[in-house]
Amino acid sequence: MRCAEAAKVYRFSWWQRFIEMELPFSAIGLVWNSMMSVAGGWFFLMACEMFVLGSRDFRLPGLGSYLQTAAGAGDTRSHPVGSRHHDRRDRAAGSIVWRPVIAWAEKFKVEQVESSDAPRSWVLDLIRHSRGLSQIRKKTVRPLAERLMLHFAHKQTKQ
């Protein structure tokens, strides 16, 4: 049964179809696409921090400009320092941002056999077990999600 047919059988509104069917099945692809887009953006940003346009030389402050200047000057000490900083920033972003998102998106994976090494994240565990965030979810996020679901479900029944 296709997504549209299932949504019709269960009388889902467009919102319910999006939240209950389309978003979960596309979550993993969206996460990986986001990671690739951010990586490409960082590369482009670093390449654009220092450039020449006609007779003008633009040098914006940033890691890309620092690395290009060090490489251009043949500075064998500064270039490895900048590269280490770049590597540390990428590792930090990976463990604080991307690893938790990958671990969270794993729940949407559809497999016949369960994977033995599911990704884990200490940041996601911290978020899941946080009392403060739990209260915020309970008092704001869940009621808002329920209101949206009811609003769009009522809108469909009136049509």
Side-chain angles (χ1 to χ4, degrees), residues 6-48:
K8 195 172 189 176
V9 167
Y10 289 108
R11 294 182 169 181
F12 280 177
S13 67
W14 68 271
W15 178 255
Q16 289 169 312
R17 177 181 167 181
F18 175 71
I19 294 295
E20 301 293 333
M21 298 176 80
E22 293 175 3
L23 194 58
F25 283 103
S26 63
I28 293 173
L30 289 171
V31 167
W32 287 103
N33 188 21
S34 297
M35 287 175 55
M36 295 300 109
S37 297
V38 168
W42 274 112
F43 177 78
F44 181 75
L45 180 66
M46 286 182 62
C48 290

Side-chain angles (χ1 to χ4, degrees), residues 23 29 39 60 71-72 76 88 92 111 119 122 148 155:
L23 194 58
L60 303 173
T76 57
R88 286 183 184 144
E111 292 181 329
W122 64 270
L148 283 171
K155 218 174 198 184

Side-chain angles (χ1 to χ4, degrees), residues 3 37 69 73 104-105 126 158:
C3 184
S37 297
T69 302
W104 171 81
L126 188 70
K158 291 178 184 176

Side-chain angles (χ1 to χ4, degrees), residues 31 35 38 91-103 121 123:
V31 167
M35 287 175 55
V38 168
R91 288 176 189 263
S95 66
I96 294 171
V97 177
W98 297 115
R99 191 74 180 165
V101 173
I102 291 168
S121 166
V123 174

Side-chain angles (χ1 to χ4, degrees), residues 74-152:
D75 189 347
T76 57
R77 287 187 171 174
S78 297
H79 196 270
V81 169
S83 295
R84 275 195 304 275
H85 177 73
H86 183 265
D87 183 56
R88 286 183 184 144
R89 187 204 60 218
D90 285 351
R91 288 176 189 263
S95 66
I96 294 171
V97 177
W98 297 115
R99 191 74 180 165
V101 173
I102 291 168
W104 171 81
E106 193 69 17
K107 71 181 179 180
F108 299 112
K109 189 179 265 185
V110 179
E111 292 181 329
Q112 296 290 333
V113 179
E114 188 174 331
S115 176
S116 60
D117 10 318
R120 296 194 41 86
S121 166
W122 64 270
V123 174
L124 184 60
D125 291 340
L126 188 70
I127 290 170
R128 285 181 174 157
H129 296 101
S130 167
R131 287 184 185 160
L133 290 176
S134 176
Q135 289 298 317
I136 290 171
R137 270 194 306 271
K138 189 189 295 183
K139 295 191 187 270
T140 59
V141 175
R142 284 188 191 140
L144 179 62
E146 288 175 15
R147 276 200 186 132
L148 283 171
M149 194 67 81
L150 287 172
H151 172 76
F152 290 119

